[in-house]
Structures are given as structure tokens and as C-alpha cells.
């Protein structure tokens, strides 16, 4: 049609502007993550986090979704998902002081870091070629293994324990984890990841798929059931996300 011009990045318009975003304030989430990194006690692990969470790769981590469709599937979704897991893991360490807090928290930060290369959000949420060929778990482990080499005398057992919680965080071989959880930290991370992902996914399914004349959603294939809504609304959800972490 004559007179119509497509918007370009030079105009300050980007594909991500038209995609779903986290309801949490981005600046608050970013500050929360960086503050938690600064409180890691182990100097080797803190140095590793500071290396990985920097530069262009960190910028992509801050924006990428945690999934294409199912959970935290929106801009800043991976950041939001990661912060939820950190909070759950910190609580578990308060309850069970036998857990190595630094290994568990660093595992929470890094378990899905490979999604920075597995997922793309331009122009839509989709899997990259590398993501399809390798998967985010392997990519995450590769990044950790490579970056740890930059830290002189990084303890081998510490690296192995961190890699283990990353490699086992989906819990079962049939869920694409190369190994099953074999440490306290690994089982804690697996369950924290499940809790964050499943509650977010169910909540969003209820908000998006509810029948207009019923408290029930349509049948959700991914969970093999309908879901019942006894009080969630977009307005209530937005208010909760605004105040929950203040």
C-alpha cells in the first residue's frame, strides 16, 4: 500500500516490543540477581559467576524467555525463573544447613544459562539450530567448564559438584538430564526448578485457557487435565507480581 513504511530498529522499534514481557519490574530483578551474586561466599564460585554474568552473554540472559511456550515464556522470563529458584534454594538451605548454599545457589543461577544460546526471541520465540542440536543443559555445562579454566587453581571437585547440579537438574534421564541427582544440592535444585516452572505454567494456563462460562480451563494436553480457577485473574496476578518481591 502506498505511503506505508515498515518500522526498523533505527526507528527505535524492535520485534521484542511486540512480545509478552515479565510482569515484574526489570530493573528490580536485575538488581536482585547482581546483589545475590555479590553475596556468594566462596571466592572461586563468586569469580566464576562474575565472569559468566557479564558482557553480551549476560545481556541476552537478562532478556531471553525461559521457554518457548510452557513456562516463563516471555521477555525476561529466564531472569524471573532464575530468581524464583534462588529464593526457593535459599529457603531450603535455611531449613537444611547441611546443603552447600554456594553450590546450590550457583547451580540455580546457571542451570538454564544455556538457554541464552538455545532460544531466540527475534522475531518470535523459537529454538536455535545449536539449541536443537545440543540442548541448554549441555550448553550450560560447556560454558561453566570453559569459564572455570580462566580462574587459577579452580578446585576440580568444586567444579564437578557444580556441573553435576546443572547436568542433573531435570531429574531423570528421560527428561533429558545426562545424569540423575546424586547430591543433596542436585535433588534440591531439581525440585526447586520443578516448583518454579510448574506453578508458573499452571498459572498462565489458567489465565489464558479458561472457558468464558466456567471456572474450568479447556483440556490442557501438557498436563492431561483441565484446571480449576478459584480466584486468579489478570488484575490480581499483575498486582501480586508488582508487590511480591518488594
Amino acid at each position: 500500500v502506498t505511503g506505508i513504511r515498515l518500522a526498523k530498529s533505527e526507528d527505535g522499534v524492535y520485534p521484542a516490543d511486540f512480545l509478552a514481557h515479565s510482569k515484574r519490574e526489570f530493573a528490580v530483578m536485575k538488581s536482585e540477581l547482581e546483589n545475590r551474586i555479590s553475596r556468594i561466599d566462596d571466592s572461586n564460585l563468586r569469580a566464576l559467576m562474575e565472569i559468566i554474568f557479564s558482557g553480551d552473554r549476560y545481556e541476552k540472559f537478562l532478556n531471553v524467555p525461559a521457554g518457548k511456550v510452557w513456562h516463563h515464556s516471555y521477555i525476561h522470563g529466564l531472569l524471573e525463573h532464575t530468581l524464583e529458584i534462588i529464593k526457593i534454594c535459599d529457603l531450603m538451605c535455611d531449613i537444611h544447613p547441611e546443603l552447600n548454599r554456594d553450590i546450590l545457589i550457583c547451580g540455580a543461577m546457571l542451570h538454564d544459562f544455556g538457554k541464552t544460546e538455545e532460544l531466540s526471541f527475534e522475531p518470535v520465540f523459537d529454538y536455535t539450530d545449536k539449541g536443537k542440536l545440543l540442548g541448554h543443559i549441555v550448553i550450560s555445562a560447556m560454558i561453566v567448564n570453559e569459564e572455570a579454566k580462566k580462574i587459577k587453581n579452580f578446585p576440580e571437585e568444586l567444579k564437578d559438584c557444580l556441573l553435576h547440579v546443572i547436568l542433573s537438574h531435570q531429574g531423570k534421564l528421560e527428561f533429558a538430564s545426562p545424569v540423575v541427582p546424586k547430591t543433596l544440592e542436585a535433588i534440591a535444585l531439581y525440585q526447586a526448578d520443578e516448583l518454579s516452572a510448574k506453578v508458573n505454567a499452571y498459572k498462565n494456563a489458567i489465565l489464558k485457557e479458561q472457558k468464558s462460562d466456567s471456572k474450568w480451563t479447556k483440556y490442557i494436553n501438557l498436563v492431561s487435565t483441565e484446571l480449576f480457577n478459584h480466584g486468579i485473574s489478570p488484575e490480581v496476578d499483575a498486582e501480586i507480581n508488582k508487590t511480591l518481591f518488594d
Side-chain angles (χ1 to χ4, degrees), residues 24 29 32-33 79-87:
R24 288 199 61 197
M29 291 195 289
E32 185 179 328
L33 176 66
L79 174 60
E80 181 184 311
H81 174 52
T82 299
L83 291 173
E84 289 177 7
I85 296 176
I86 289 171
K87 286 183 176 292

Side-chain angles (χ1 to χ4, degrees), residues 1 30 33 48 66 79 91 93 96 111 144 146 155 163 166 170 174-175 183 195 199 231-232:
V1 179
K30 183 173 183 286
L33 176 66
L48 180 63
L79 174 60
L91 176 60
C93 289
H96 298 287
H111 77 291
V144 170
E146 187 63 29
L163 285 170
I166 293 169
Q170 291 194 175
E174 59 266 35
F175 294 163
T183 66
L195 183 59
V199 171
I232 301 175

